Structures are given as structure tokens and as C-alpha cells.
Amino acid sequence: MKVAIVMGSVSDFDKVKDACEFLNKMEVDFEIRALSAHRTARELELFMEENDRHIDVYIAAAGKAAHLPGVIASKTCKPVIGIPIKSSALEGMDALLSIVQMPPGVPVATVAINGSKNAAILACQMMSLKYDELSEKMVAFKKNMEEETLEKEREFLKNF
């Protein structure tokens, strides 16, 4: 199982590191690249040509015009998850709308602005359909999240 994380710029890494951490926690192999849909279009195309058969899910992070997730989706039949990055005066809304408004036939699943951890969780949920060991890890992750939330509630209610 493998995920490709593609950022539009190395400056986006601080926004996608939570995805890397989650994938590491789930022991999911991933490759991370900084390839722009505009500035390094040929290199992006070469990366996809050379690696698409080994990738289960793409995660693409981009700000402003945010064409990267859509360009990747146009070149693969694999799932693509877009992360809109807050990088302009529009607080990431420009990126969100660019990613979510894809033409028919070129879907991109989209998470919240700077929502890289949810992108990694969604990628793992998608791959859980194919990989039983990952499915078990995701069930345990969700159960742990439930238990932590209930424990916080119990602590909270002690004050009332």
C-alpha cells in the first residue's frame, strides 16, 4: 500500500506534515514530492508516469489557484484527495473552491483548508477496502478516538 503526497511547493510542508505523521503511525508507505502543476508540469507528468501503478491514493496540497489536485486527477484513475492550503489574502477559500469545483469525470475528494490529517485518514479508509491489516488499524484508531473523547467528557462532567 502506498500514498503519494504531492505539494505545490516545499513551503507547503508545514501544512502536510500531519498527514505524514498519521501515515507513519498507520505504517503506510508514502512518497512526498514538491511538484507544481504550473512551474514543474513536465516533472509532475514524469513522476505520475513512473509511479502511478504503485500508488493507491494521491494526496495533493496546493494553495491559491490550487490546480495541482485536479491536474493529478486528470492523469490517473486512482483516488485523489485535495488539501486546500491557506496561502493568500483569501484565507484558503480560493484554494478550496478551486479544488472542490472539478468538472464532471475528474473528481477530487476535498478536505478542509489545511486539513492534511483528515486527508491521510481518508486515504487510509479508502485503502482499508483493499488491505485488511490497515482496516484493523483504522478500526483501532477510531475506537481509541472514541475512548479518548468519552474520557474527556467524564473529566468535564466532574466539574458539574
Side-chain angles (χ1 to χ4, degrees):
M1 68 190 120
K2 188 167 186 177
V3 173
I5 299 174
V6 185
M7 311 171 290
S9 168
V10 294
S11 64
D12 295 331
F13 178 71
D14 64 321
K15 305 291 190 319
V16 300
K17 65 183 174 186
D18 288 346
C20 298
E21 291 170 2
F22 187 83
L23 293 172
N24 279 329
K25 178 180 176 180
M26 292 293 122
E27 299 176 307
V28 171
D29 189 25
F30 68 92
E31 181 168 354
I32 188 164
R33 297 292 306 269
L35 298 169
S36 167
H38 304 109
R39 295 182 300 261
T40 60
R42 181 69 186 135
E43 288 80 4
L44 175 62
E45 190 170 331
L46 287 172
F47 170 74
M48 293 193 65
E49 286 173 5
E50 293 171 6
N51 294 284
D52 191 63
R53 70 183 174 279
H54 304 293
I55 303 299
D56 289 296
V57 179
Y58 289 89
I59 295 174
K64 299 182 182 173
H67 294 126
L68 183 61
V71 168
I72 291 172
S74 76
K75 297 180 180 304
T76 186
C77 291
K78 308 288 177 70
V80 178
I81 303 167
I83 306 170
I85 300 294
K86 179 180 172 183
S87 62
S88 71
L90 297 176
E91 302 295 314
M93 288 301 297
D94 47 350
L96 174 64
L97 295 173
S98 292
I99 294 171
V100 82
Q101 292 294 337
M102 293 301 300
V106 191
V108 173
T110 309
V111 296
I113 296 167
N114 295 345
S116 72
K117 184 174 182 182
N118 268 357
I121 292 168
L122 181 56
C124 288
Q125 289 179 175
M126 290 173 173
M127 291 185 300
S128 289
L129 297 170
K130 182 177 178 181
Y131 302 105
D132 291 337
E133 67 274 15
L134 183 57
S135 179
E136 292 169 13
K137 290 177 186 177
M138 289 303 296
V139 168
F141 165 74
K142 296 282 186 155
K143 182 67 176 165
N144 185 58
M145 186 171 52
E146 176 187 24
E147 290 169 0
E148 287 177 357
T149 302
L150 291 172
E151 179 58 30
K152 288 176 184 175
E153 183 204 27
R154 283 190 287 278
E155 290 299 314
F156 170 76
L157 291 176
K158 286 180 183 179
N159 296 317
F160 294 95

